Amino acid sequence: MFTTLLVIAILVAFTLGVAVGYLATRRTVGRLRTELADAAWQLTHDPLTGLLNRIGLRTAHTIAASGPPQPLIVMLLDLDRFKQVNDAHGHDAGDDLLMEVADRLGHLADAAGGTAARLSGDEFAVILPLRHHRLGDLAERFTAAIAAPVTVQADSGPVTVTVTASVGVTIVASTDPLEDVALHRADTAMYQAKHRGGDQHLLYTPGMVMPDRGHRRGPRPRDLRRDQSGSTK
């Protein structure tokens, strides 16, 4: 009898140990999956706006290029007079403006079957399939969305600001390189739009000249600090 009870106790303890170990393993695997997904998100997304970053845009383009060949619309959008908002109302107001613009671009890109990204500072990109979109009307929707007033939190309280955008547009094959062809052409057209006064979109045409890169803006120091630490300083 004693031997039987001992055997039963050993079996129960073994079963409980296996169950506890299984549950602990599941929790560990779940935690690792969550951490991996979070790391992948941070690698491919802009921490301020939640849009794709340049790495994420490359990934989206790779996915598009892996399917059947198709024409793509690529737009590069640079805000006009964004620095004036920062200077007049503070960097927090500038961040509010960038987040609102990103939200509008993201919704428009989703509705058109594409994706939006924040590349650096106040520069955004959009990739979407050509399909049956009317290019002029589509670009107008994006510029109009950006030009709508935005309420931001300034140092002195809420204020309403309005900015416009210079937009460069190009049509490329999904198999064309992203950096050397698609973004290069859209960047050239965007520079020409800004050079002509901004608040407009231009379609890339052969012969458009690239600007002198010396005066072009890169990431803001504020964004570089955020990318390094994961939070605003």
Side-chain angles (χ1 to χ4, degrees), residues 73-140:
I73 301 171
V74 178
M75 290 190 285
L76 205 60
L77 309 94
D78 191 90
L79 302 187
D80 304 319
R81 299 179 298 279
F82 172 73
K83 186 176 183 299
Q84 294 178 12
V85 175
N86 266 342
D87 292 345
H89 305 295
H91 288 292
D92 288 340
D95 285 351
D96 288 346
L97 175 58
L98 291 173
M99 288 187 287
E100 178 61 28
V101 167
D103 188 58
R104 295 175 184 180
L105 294 180
H107 280 97
L108 283 173
D110 287 343
T115 188
R118 180 187 177 213
L119 300 186
S120 64
D122 56 335
E123 188 173 76
F124 298 84
V126 174
I127 294 180
L128 42 92
L130 179 60
R131 293 179 183 167
H132 303 295
H133 296 305
R134 297 183 61 181
L135 198 57
D137 292 344
L138 188 66
E140 284 288 350

Side-chain angles (χ1 to χ4, degrees), residues 9-86:
I10 292 173
L11 290 175
V12 170
F14 176 77
T15 302
L16 289 174
V18 170
V20 170
Y22 172 72
L23 291 175
T25 300
R26 284 191 62 185
R27 286 195 294 269
T28 300
V29 171
R31 176 176 57 80
L32 291 174
R33 284 177 175 171
T34 300
E35 291 176 355
L36 182 60
D38 184 60
W41 192 93
Q42 292 185 38
L43 178 66
T44 56
H45 289 75
D46 170 54
L48 174 65
T49 65
L51 291 183
L52 294 177
N53 58 18
R54 190 175 290 269
I55 294 175
L57 189 67
R58 291 186 190 127
T59 301
H61 179 262
T62 298
I63 293 173
S66 65
Q70 61 173 322
L72 298 177
I73 301 171
V74 178
M75 290 190 285
L76 205 60
L77 309 94
D78 191 90
L79 302 187
D80 304 319
R81 299 179 298 279
F82 172 73
K83 186 176 183 299
Q84 294 178 12
V85 175
N86 266 342

